[in-house]
């Protein structure tokens, strides 16, 4: 049998043939309605195609709205029924399902969110308890105390790039294990940080944060790629779950970062009350401050040790999709060819994911690292660490609402990834630019609550927008072999934004920050609008199918929905990337490719003594009617190929039921 293009793509739904001809068939004139219907249902799933085979994005706006609303409504009812059944059988089973499918995949982000954002929370306590070191710098070097923010972010950048490459080279599983081990050791270092004097303690604290940051950085590409690929399934055709809920699965793991921030703030409040004799008011003793911050770091160390165990023993298949891709491409190490081709074909997408993440982190990390300064504006006469922490707890709570709203709406085809990101950027732009040009008015006692509302709303729209979406799309819009690398690079550029904020904010006033920050929101919205494609509702396997054509040097021969204008960026549409989109030709190609997969599988099964192992189809059987049709029409002649395509739906006057009609072309 001739070699197939399925040798190039990761878990492509079908394997097109590179020779432009196929293993021939006979008796092609006799395809019965059941077989035709089975093929149609297999290749035109009802959550993205109408009954007559029209893709949802090809429908007029009114029909599109009706179709999407109907699909989402049916899926919501199905999920609610499922939850009801689970609750009836066991009231705690829905909670168990949530923990297994949302919390555990995001456990690393929960733990790193807890530690990462504790730095801004702990600083006011250390400044109050050790003023000569952390505030006036009489006993400690000012450069080292300020380096806490810089080296933490640099460590994250190193981890994002390093582990991103390792994840594509050695596999997702080893990247996940490595991250957990580094974070565990880093937490031990943070808990035990000390020195012969206070300056030595600060230096040890800084380098411990740098080391921990490497593990944090690796969590980004590893959690995004493994969570996304594990949701895909391993069959030859994409799953409804991938198309309808992939975004929700990834963002549900990502929002654990918000719960990490919330948990950290709660634990710090409780620890201070315990070690400060039940009071949160100053003055704070050195002993109380030391116990509070050290125990707060020791607690996540226990959870991180469990994470090392879980990833080593319970996530053995985390690299499956990557290894399938490498096997098909006959690559054993790092796929440098895919990296080069990705830069060639998807360079503007990388500009969008990296540039938007940079703009977002100016907002996000600047907000978090210097939150005590913003809260000081809200409470100008406050000298209690506790009051600032309580304000921050409210802010994190508002952010969590944004995280969950993003998770609920990110897979909606009428809103989805791209619009969520643009709206979030523009909302943050407005919420920062308004007080920027009337700062004294909004910070006056009479209008401080309006300022507070805008500050909290900016946190909400940051999560219900670019912060959640960048984490998803930075992996989603790139092919499997270099997905972790692309995500890691985008995240690293994003952290350069955080580093920019950390450096810049030390040299400008709080008022000046409001003059600088808004314009990054506007820039992020423009980058997203121009260069980012909208992959909402587009399954990963269809994207990999397109990648298989690109990899084989036949980009112009791909006619599928991955190049539908809906799923291309404005820049790609201007360049004419979608000019080869043709639904009828694509259907013909899919039938050819499906037959090629079927014949290859039958050939492997027929080889005596050869077991079909580690095959992407091992847990997915062809529909009985499709199997019968391919079996009945198979032949050894290399000259003919059946191509099937749906005709217009026809309805009998006497019967409202409709049958799909098919033409059969014989290609010689």
């Amino acid at each position: 049998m001739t070699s197939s293009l399925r040798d190039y793509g990761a878990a492509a739904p079908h394997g097109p043939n590179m020779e432009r001809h196929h293993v021939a068939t006979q008796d092609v004139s006799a395809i019965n309605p059941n077989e035709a219907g089975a093929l149609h249902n297999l290749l035109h799933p009802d959550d993205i195609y109408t009954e007559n085979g029209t893709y949802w994005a090809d429908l007029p706006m009114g029909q599109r709205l009706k179709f999407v609303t109907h699909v989402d409504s049916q899926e919501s009812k199905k999920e609610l029924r499922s939850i009801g059944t689970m609750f009836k059988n066991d009231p705690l089973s829905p909670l168990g399902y949530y923990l297994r499918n949302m919390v555990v995949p995001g456990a690393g982000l929960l733990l790193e969110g807890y530690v990462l954002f504790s730095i801004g929370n702990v600083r006011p306590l250390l400044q109050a308890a050790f003023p000569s070191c952390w505030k006036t710098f009489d006993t400690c070097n000012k450069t080292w105390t300020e380096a806490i923010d810089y080296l933490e972010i640099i460590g994250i950048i190193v981890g994002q790039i390093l582990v991103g490459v390792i994840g594509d080279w050695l596999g997702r599983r080893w990247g996940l294990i490595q991250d957990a081990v580094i974070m565990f050791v880093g937490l031990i270092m943070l808990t035990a940080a000390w020195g012969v004097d206070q300056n030595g303690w600060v230096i040890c604290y800084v380098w411990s944060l740098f080391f921990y940051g490497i593990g944090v950085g690796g969590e980004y590409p590893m959690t995004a790629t493994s969570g996304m690929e594990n949701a895909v399934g391993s069959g030859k055709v994409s799953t409804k779950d991938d198309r309808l809920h992939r975004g929700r699965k990834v963002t549900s793991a990502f929002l654990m970062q918000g719960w990490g921030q919330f948990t950290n703030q709660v634990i710090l409040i409780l620890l201070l009350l315990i070690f400060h004799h039940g009071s949160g008011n100053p003055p704070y003793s050195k002993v109380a401050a030391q116990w509070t911050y050290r125990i707060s770091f020791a607690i996540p160390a226990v959870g991180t040790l469990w994470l090392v165990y879980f990833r080593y023993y319970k996530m053995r298949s985390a690299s499956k999709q990557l290894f399938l891709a490498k096997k098909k491409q006959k690559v054993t190490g790092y796929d440098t060819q895919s990296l080069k081709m990705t830069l060639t074909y998807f360079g503007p997408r990388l500009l969008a994911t990296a540039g938007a993440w940079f703009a977002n982190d100016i907002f996000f990390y600047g907000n978090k690292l210097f939150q005590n300064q913003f809260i000081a504006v809200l409470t100008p006469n406050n000298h209690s660490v506790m009051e600032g922490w309580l304000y921050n707890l409210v802010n994190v709570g508002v952010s969590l609402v944004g995280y969950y709203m993003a998770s609920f709406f990110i897979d909606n085809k009428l809103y989805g990834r791209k619009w969520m990101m643009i709206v979030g950027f523009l909302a943050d732009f407005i919420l920062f630019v308004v007080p920027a040009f009337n700062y004294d008015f909004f910070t006056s006692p009479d209008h401080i609550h309006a300022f507070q509302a805008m500050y909290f709303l900016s946190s909400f729209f940051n999560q219900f927008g670019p912060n959640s979406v960048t984490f998803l799309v930075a992996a989603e819009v790139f092919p499997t072999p270099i997905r972790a690398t692309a995500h890691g690079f985008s995240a690293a550029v994003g952290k350069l934004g955080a580093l920019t904020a950390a450096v810049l904010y030390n040299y400008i006033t709080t008022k000046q920050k409001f003059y600088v920050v808004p314009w990054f929101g506007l820039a992020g919205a423009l980058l997203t609008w121009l260069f980012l494609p909208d992959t909402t509702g587009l399954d990963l396997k269809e994207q990999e199918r397109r990648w298989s054509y690109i990899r084989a040097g036949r980009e112009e021969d791909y006619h599928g929905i991955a190049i539908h204008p809906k799923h291309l960026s404005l820049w790609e549409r201007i360049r004419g990337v979608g000019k080869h989109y043709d639904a009828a030709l694509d259907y013909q190609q899919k039938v050819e490719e499906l037959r090629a997969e079927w014949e290859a599988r039958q050939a492997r099964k027929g080889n005596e003594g050869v077991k079909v192992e580690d095959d992407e189809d091992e847990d997915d059987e062809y529909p009985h009617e499709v199997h019968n049709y391919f079996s009945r029409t198979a032949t050894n002649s290399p000259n003919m190929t059946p191509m099937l395509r749906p005709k217009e739906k026809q309805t009998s006057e006497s019967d409202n039921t409709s049958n799909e009609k098919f033409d059969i072309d014989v290609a010689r």
Side-chain angles (χ1 to χ4, degrees):
M1 179 177 173
T2 56
S3 62
S4 170
L5 190 142
R6 69 179 186 280
D7 294 331
Y8 294 90
H14 325 293
N17 192 290
M18 288 288 77
E19 304 296 331
R20 299 179 185 265
H21 62 76
H22 217 291
V23 177
T25 58
Q26 60 185 6
D27 298 329
V28 296
S29 60
I31 178 171
N32 64 53
N34 288 336
E35 293 169 345
L39 276 172
H40 176 71
N41 292 335
L42 186 65
L43 301 180
H44 282 166
D46 61 5
D47 58 292
I48 55 175
Y49 287 94
T50 63
E51 289 183 0
N52 65 350
T54 302
Y55 188 54
W56 71 271
D58 284 324
L59 295 170
M61 183 53 67
Q63 295 180 33
R64 184 186 306 183
L65 177 63
K66 182 179 179 180
F67 177 84
V68 171
T69 303
H70 174 73
V71 169
D72 289 348
S73 174
Q74 292 298 108
E75 187 66 15
S76 297
K77 291 177 182 177
K78 177 180 138 184
E79 290 192 320
L80 289 173
R81 285 195 301 268
S82 177
I83 293 172
T85 302
M86 292 169 65
F87 186 83
K88 184 177 179 180
N89 294 332
D90 179 358
L92 293 179
S93 60
L95 177 61
Y97 177 87
Y98 181 77
L99 291 173
R100 289 191 305 273
N101 293 277
M102 311 298 179
V103 176
V104 171
L109 289 168
L110 185 149
L111 292 164
E112 65 90 1
Y114 176 104
V115 177
L116 184 64
F117 298 104
S118 71
I119 308 308
N121 295 334
V122 166
R123 190 191 296 270
L125 178 61
L126 296 178
Q127 287 175 336
F130 301 90
S132 63
C133 176
W134 291 85
K135 188 176 288 186
T136 62
F137 311 111
D138 295 330
T139 59
C140 298
N141 185 286
K142 182 179 179 180
T143 302
W144 277 111
T145 55
E146 292 178 347
I148 289 174
D149 297 328
Y150 308 153
L151 282 177
E152 177 191 32
I153 296 171
I154 291 172
I156 294 173
I157 292 173
V158 170
Q160 287 165 336
I161 296 175
L162 178 65
V163 181
V165 173
I166 290 175
D168 284 333
W169 184 13
L170 301 179
R172 316 300 191 217
R173 178 171 177 253
W174 291 110
L176 288 165
I177 294 170
Q178 173 185 281
D179 291 339
V181 170
I182 292 175
M183 288 194 296
F184 174 70
V185 175
L187 281 168
I188 298 298
M189 294 168 63
L190 283 168
T191 304
W194 201 252
V196 295
D197 55 18
Q198 288 188 7
N199 194 56
W201 163 45
V202 170
I203 293 173
C204 185
Y205 182 71
V206 168
W207 284 111
S208 298
L209 276 175
F210 171 80
F211 186 81
Y212 181 82
I214 295 175
V216 170
E219 276 299 298
Y220 284 74
M222 291 300 95
T223 301
T225 55
S226 62
M228 186 179 303
E229 291 164 2
N230 290 342
V232 171
S234 57
K236 57 192 164 292
V237 181
S238 63
T239 64
K240 178 181 286 191
D241 194 51
D242 172 52
R243 294 186 296 271
L244 294 181
H245 304 306
R246 181 177 69 247
R248 186 178 69 184
K249 286 193 173 187
V250 175
T251 52
S252 293
F254 180 64
L255 68 80
M256 288 299 111
Q257 185 184 74
W259 278 112
Q261 299 172 48
F262 187 86
T263 304
N264 170 257
Q265 192 62 88
V266 170
I267 287 178
L268 281 174
I269 290 172
L270 293 176
L271 288 174
L272 183 59
L273 291 174
I274 291 170
F275 294 114
H276 196 49
H277 313 297
S279 171
N281 297 320
Y284 304 104
S285 70
K286 292 180 173 59
V287 173
Q290 288 278 0
W291 276 104
T292 298
Y293 107 83
R294 291 182 189 277
I295 296 297
S296 73
F297 284 140
I299 290 173
V302 177
T304 308
L305 182 60
W306 170 84
L307 196 62
V308 174
Y309 158 80
F310 183 84
R311 289 178 172 179
Y312 187 85
Y313 289 103
K314 305 297 183 181
M315 297 186 68
R316 298 182 185 274
S317 62
S319 303
K320 181 177 181 179
Q321 292 296 327
L322 175 67
F323 290 160
L324 285 172
K326 287 188 174 185
K327 180 180 178 181
K328 291 176 179 182
Q329 296 166 14
K330 299 178 175 60
V331 174
T332 56
Y334 188 82
D335 193 350
T336 55
Q337 181 64 21
S338 286
L339 178 61
K340 293 176 183 177
M341 296 185 73
T342 297
L343 293 174
T344 300
Y345 286 92
F346 298 141
R349 294 187 177 192
L350 195 60
L351 175 62
T353 57
W357 209 326
F358 178 91
N360 172 69
D361 276 14
I362 294 286
F363 278 102
F364 183 62
Y365 276 86
N367 184 307
K368 296 301 178 184
L369 291 173
F370 299 96
Q371 60 196 355
N372 56 316
Q373 296 178 25
F374 289 114
I375 293 173
V377 174
L378 301 176
T379 57
N381 298 317
N382 171 55
H383 299 289
S384 172
V385 170
M386 187 64 71
E387 186 170 349
W389 283 356
L390 290 173
Y391 264 102
N392 183 56
L393 195 62
V394 175
N395 189 35
V396 175
V398 172
S399 297
L400 273 171
V401 176
Y403 276 115
Y404 276 99
M405 289 288 285
S407 181
F408 291 149
F409 284 94
I410 201 162
D411 287 312
N412 183 280
K413 297 183 182 69
L414 302 177
Y415 191 57
R417 283 90 153 128
K418 189 165 184 174
W419 277 111
M420 185 181 294
M421 194 139 107
I422 292 173
V423 170
F425 269 130
L426 291 178
D428 278 341
F429 167 72
I430 294 170
L431 290 167
F432 271 78
V433 82
V434 168
F437 292 98
N438 209 349
Y439 183 81
D440 294 332
F441 172 83
F442 283 106
T443 55
S444 64
D446 293 337
H447 304 96
I448 192 67
H449 292 298
F451 181 80
Q452 180 180 348
M454 286 187 287
Y455 178 68
F456 287 157
L457 281 173
S458 72
S459 295
F460 170 81
F461 278 106
N462 186 253
Q463 310 311 328
F464 184 42
N467 196 50
S468 295
V469 180
T470 49
F471 183 81
L472 170 64
V473 297
E476 192 176 54
V477 301
F478 300 107
T480 299
I482 54 86
R483 183 170 287 142
T485 302
H487 191 281
F489 174 79
S490 299
V493 173
K495 292 306 166 284
L496 287 177
L499 185 62
T500 301
V503 174
L504 181 64
Y505 286 10
N506 281 324
Y507 298 98
I508 59 177
T509 65
T510 302
K511 182 178 181 179
Q512 289 171 330
K513 292 169 189 173
F514 282 87
Y515 287 123
V516 173
V517 167
W519 309 106
F520 289 95
L522 186 59
L526 290 173
L527 280 172
T528 302
W529 174 68
L530 186 58
F531 295 116
L532 186 71
D534 188 358
T535 49
T536 308
L538 179 64
D539 62 81
L540 286 181
K541 290 191 175 182
E542 186 62 27
Q543 295 183 77
E544 294 301 329
R545 180 169 170 254
R546 180 197 173 196
W547 175 248
S548 68
Y549 279 86
I550 293 175
R551 173 92 186 200
R554 290 183 54 197
E555 180 187 16
E556 72 281 359
D557 291 331
Y558 174 76
H559 307 291
I561 57 176
I563 56 170
H564 189 284
K566 170 66 180 176
H567 301 303
L568 297 176
S569 68
L570 176 61
W571 179 258
E572 289 170 335
R573 294 199 298 271
I574 292 173
R575 291 183 55 246
V577 172
K579 64 184 177 182
H580 298 295
Y581 173 69
D582 189 313
L585 285 177
D586 183 57
Y587 188 82
Q588 294 175 5
Q589 287 180 326
K590 284 183 176 179
V591 174
E592 278 195 278
E593 296 161 16
L594 188 64
R595 179 184 290 279
E597 292 283 359
W598 179 87
E599 290 174 342
R601 185 163 178 76
Q602 298 308 307
R604 290 194 296 272
K605 285 183 175 179
N607 290 333
E608 185 176 355
V610 177
K611 294 177 67 178
V612 183
E613 296 180 344
D614 298 323
D615 195 306
E616 67 270 24
D617 301 339
E618 63 184 349
D619 59 352
D620 184 81
E621 292 296 332
Y622 290 81
H624 178 70
E625 296 84 357
V626 173
H627 176 84
N628 284 346
Y629 173 68
F630 286 156
S631 179
R632 177 166 50 80
T633 59
T635 182
N636 293 324
S637 170
N639 298 320
M640 302 173 65
T641 290
M643 294 183 180
L644 293 81
R645 59 176 177 269
K647 297 179 72 176
E648 291 296 318
K649 177 180 174 183
Q650 300 177 5
T651 305
S652 169
E653 293 182 359
S654 61
D655 190 354
N656 290 330
T657 61
S658 60
N659 293 322
E660 200 70 46
K661 304 298 182 181
F662 290 83
D663 280 345
I664 300 178
D665 296 339
V666 179
R668 297 185 178 273

